[in-house]
């Protein structure tokens, strides 16, 4: 079973994505900020991380830099999820420049 780590500070969004992917048969873990997400990524070793960009304590751009620096997490695929849709090209540039593979607004 594929493993997904959802790092999202919005409780409604994390419950929605968590239920959807669990229903589809994925093993899902959730973290509500970047610091907790980094710890869970090392422990859970997901196949995919769905990552919010704007979060407290450590945002998604800061987190992916840490993930890519750590040999235990550097090869995990990261898909940025941005709910606001107002970051445009700047958000995509920052996401891809920091090592994200996909960016969804």
């Amino acid at each position: 079973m594929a493993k997904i780590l959802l790092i999202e500070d919005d409780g409604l969004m994390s419950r929605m994505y968590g239920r959807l992917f669990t229903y589809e048969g994925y093993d899902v873990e959730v973290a509500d900020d970047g610091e907790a997400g980094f710890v869970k990524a090392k422990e859970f070793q997901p196949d995919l991380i769905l990552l919010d960009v704007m979060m407290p304590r450590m945002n998604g751009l800061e987190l992916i830099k840490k993930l890519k620096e750590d040999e235990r997490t550097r090869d995990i695929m990261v898909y940025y999820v941005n709910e606001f849709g107002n970051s445009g090209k700047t958000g995509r540039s920052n996401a891809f420049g920091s090592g994200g593979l996909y960016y969804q607004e």
Side-chain angles (χ1 to χ4, degrees), residues 20-32:
L20 172 69
F21 289 117
T22 299
Y23 177 80
E24 292 295 330
Y26 295 97
D27 186 5
V28 179
E29 288 282 329
V30 178
D32 61 3

Side-chain angles (χ1 to χ4, degrees), residues 46-63:
D47 300 298
L48 171 68
I49 294 175
L50 295 177
L51 178 60
D52 187 11
V53 176
M54 298 178 64
M55 294 181 294
R57 295 178 45 175
M58 181 189 307
N59 70 39
L61 300 175
E62 295 167 331
L63 173 57

